[in-house]
Amino acid sequence: MVSEVSRRALAAFALTTAGLAAGAGTASAKELVFWSMWNEPEPQAAALRKIMDNYTKANPDVTFKVVWNGRQNQTKLRGALQAGTQVDFMDQDSDQLAGGLQKEGLAYDLSADLDADTKGAFLPGVLDVYADAGKLYQVPYVYNTVNFWYNKDMMKEVGGSVPQTFDELLALCGAVKNAGKQALVIEGNVAFYNILYFANHLERAKGSGALIKAFEDKSGAGWSDPAVLEAAKASRALWDAGCFADDARGFQYPAGQQTIALGDTMGELVGSWLPTELAESAGKDFPWGAFNFPTVKGGAGKATDLQVGLLSFIVLKGSPNAKEAAGFLKYVMSEEAQKILVADAGVGVTRKGVEWPAVLGDAYQSASAATALSPFGGGLNVAYPDFTSQVLNPEYNKMFLGETTPEQFVETLVAKTKEFWAANK
């Protein structure tokens, strides 16, 4: 028989063992703190929540604490980090991250945590756009292409076809105008949309990354390349060809794009978020199509080169759970998770072979066939955001809207670039 003393000893041992086991379980559990650019009611947030729930079901030791910050996520995050708040990973527009947390050295290097299968799962060029010296700091997961978004029925009605060259684009404008409509629309007050005409034309002439190469000639002479003036003149040629209604200069966002939904305009050069933004006013049966910026005569760039607007995750460099966060981001790139984003959030995604929503079908084909990628507007806003926002965009918009000439625009870029580099030796 076991004595009372022995019985008590066994009970004490059992309690101690149970306590150690419980302690070990607690030590292995990880709560990942995620700060997001989405607002909680948005479908994108719901899709991410489902993805996180699925991950926790498969990995019960990993849970998530989410702060839904909205579009000012990176700004709010900086303040939180300065106050000592622990955040493991976050998401934001990739361009903003590249010029923000990544540039400031606050992003964790994911290069060793993403295996070959994960790296190979991305659509062409996606993983390389924001790589720095071969190191990977971002995991892009939402994919927006820059295309001409247009009404396929209107194109058919005017007897038009997708233009393969810039001259064909101008001719299409004439055909649409002759039918009593406008081919294209702009938002007069949105310079970073309007400069897409200049940036894409210059990249078609000189190749992807042309704006950065021109600006990084510290003498300013990079802008003296004849292709720069030609790209500026091409922007004005769109007005001369009747592509835009004269009163489009006065449109304040989103008045311009609403003319597409109303059937007055055929399309707009913008990101692939446009069908989502116009879903309610255009209706679910609107015949959306998309085509790439056409080639220019004698140009080095290809029609399959794309400007993109990606959304990415980064893991914070100071996270104590960086490995676990990286493991979750690998799951976000899985076919299962990417299909949830497509189905529940209605977005384009970055994994090869996962088709986008039907309304974005043409954009998916563009992304799948892309030969070179550059950030939205050519990427100067990523590398040199102050020059872009204070000089390039406003000076271009003045020229585009007819307040200055293409020659004056180029002269200003030459002078202001020289001043910039003189002040930043």
Side-chain angles (χ1 to χ4, degrees):
M1 293 180 64
V2 180
S3 69
E4 184 63 25
V5 173
S6 299
R7 202 176 277 115
R8 289 176 181 173
L10 287 170
F13 176 77
L15 287 172
T16 301
T17 304
L20 289 172
T26 303
S28 65
K30 298 288 184 180
E31 181 183 67
L32 300 183
V33 180
F34 169 43
W35 281 36
S36 180
M37 65 169 285
W38 303 109
N39 297 298
E40 191 167 7
E42 293 182 289
Q44 295 90 339
L48 287 177
R49 173 57 73 186
K50 182 183 288 187
I51 290 169
M52 287 183 280
D53 288 346
N54 286 355
Y55 189 78
T56 296
K57 288 176 184 176
N59 303 272
D61 56 330
V62 178
T63 58
F64 298 87
K65 179 181 179 181
V66 186
V67 178
W68 304 104
N69 275 323
R71 304 307 182 264
Q72 297 302 311
N73 188 38
Q74 182 171 221
T75 301
K76 294 178 180 179
L77 179 64
R78 281 197 183 95
L81 293 176
Q82 290 173 359
T85 303
Q86 179 196 317
V87 179
D88 295 306
F89 69 107
M90 57 87 71
D91 65 347
Q92 190 74 56
D93 294 332
S94 305
D95 290 1
Q96 293 181 33
L97 287 177
L101 295 176
Q102 179 178 332
K103 188 175 183 179
E104 295 157 17
L106 297 176
Y108 172 79
D109 180 7
L110 291 157
S111 305
D113 294 276
L114 302 180
D115 56 38
D117 288 342
T118 301
K119 292 176 182 176
F122 288 85
L123 283 163
V126 168
L127 200 56
D128 301 323
V129 178
Y130 302 101
D132 185 3
K135 296 181 178 180
L136 303 174
Y137 296 98
Q138 298 193 30
V139 175
Y141 72 104
V142 173
Y143 197 137
N144 292 296
T145 59
V146 173
N147 313 92
F148 285 95
W149 287 89
Y150 72 101
N151 182 328
K152 285 185 174 180
D153 287 350
M154 188 180 295
M155 175 86 81
K156 188 175 181 180
E157 287 167 9
V158 303
S161 59
V162 171
Q164 303 301 312
T165 68
F166 191 77
D167 287 342
E168 289 179 6
L169 175 63
L170 298 179
L172 176 63
C173 289
V176 178
K177 188 173 183 179
N178 289 338
K181 305 285 186 179
Q182 299 298 147
L184 301 171
V185 73
I186 63 162
E187 309 287 355
N189 67 324
V190 186
F192 71 91
Y193 275 10
N194 295 336
I195 204 167
L196 291 173
Y197 288 100
F198 173 73
N200 274 278
H201 195 286
L202 187 58
E203 289 196 329
R204 289 294 184 264
K206 303 294 291 184
S208 187
L211 271 77
I212 293 176
K213 291 176 184 176
F215 179 71
E216 289 184 340
D217 182 331
K218 297 180 181 181
S219 70
W223 300 114
S224 298
D225 188 311
V228 176
L229 180 59
E230 182 59 32
K233 288 181 175 180
S235 297
R236 292 288 289 274
L238 293 162
W239 292 96
D240 297 338
C243 296
F244 310 111
D246 289 338
D247 61 356
R249 290 180 171 86
F251 285 158
Q252 303 291 296
Y253 176 86
Q257 65 185 40
Q258 288 296 330
T259 66
I260 301 173
L262 294 171
D264 298 325
T265 306
M266 188 174 71
E268 181 179 13
L269 178 62
V270 72
S272 56
W273 52 77
L274 185 66
T276 299
E277 290 188 351
L278 290 180
E280 185 174 341
S281 53
K284 64 179 181 179
D285 296 324
F286 191 88
W288 285 110
F291 61 86
N292 291 359
F293 199 92
T295 59
V296 301
K297 189 175 181 179
K302 300 177 180 178
T304 47
D305 295 345
L306 275 183
Q307 291 185 14
V308 298
L310 307 176
L311 306 181
S312 292
F313 293 103
I314 67 167
V315 175
L316 277 299
K317 191 174 183 179
S319 166
N321 304 313
K323 294 290 184 182
E324 290 78 10
F328 170 68
L329 298 189
K330 287 171 60 178
Y331 171 67
V332 173
M333 282 307 302
S334 69
E335 184 175 353
E336 177 184 69
Q338 294 268 290
K339 284 184 175 180
I340 291 173
L341 285 164
V342 171
D344 293 12
V347 297
V349 293
T350 55
R351 185 182 174 91
K352 289 187 294 190
V354 176
E355 293 196 11
W356 300 1
V359 71
L360 303 178
D362 286 351
Y364 174 68
Q365 295 304 319
S366 294
S368 299
T371 46
L373 300 185
S374 61
F376 192 91
L380 198 66
N381 59 311
V382 176
Y384 306 100
D386 291 342
F387 185 87
T388 303
S389 62
Q390 296 170 17
V391 179
L392 178 64
N393 286 356
E395 291 297 330
Y396 170 79
N397 217 41
K398 286 194 294 184
M399 183 278 297
F400 182 59
L401 299 180
E403 298 171 21
T404 61
T405 67
E407 290 80 6
Q408 289 172 323
F409 169 61
V410 172
E411 289 171 5
T412 300
L413 289 183
V414 170
K416 292 295 185 180
T417 296
K418 188 175 181 179
E419 289 177 14
F420 176 91
W421 288 114
N424 291 274
K425 290 183 178 178

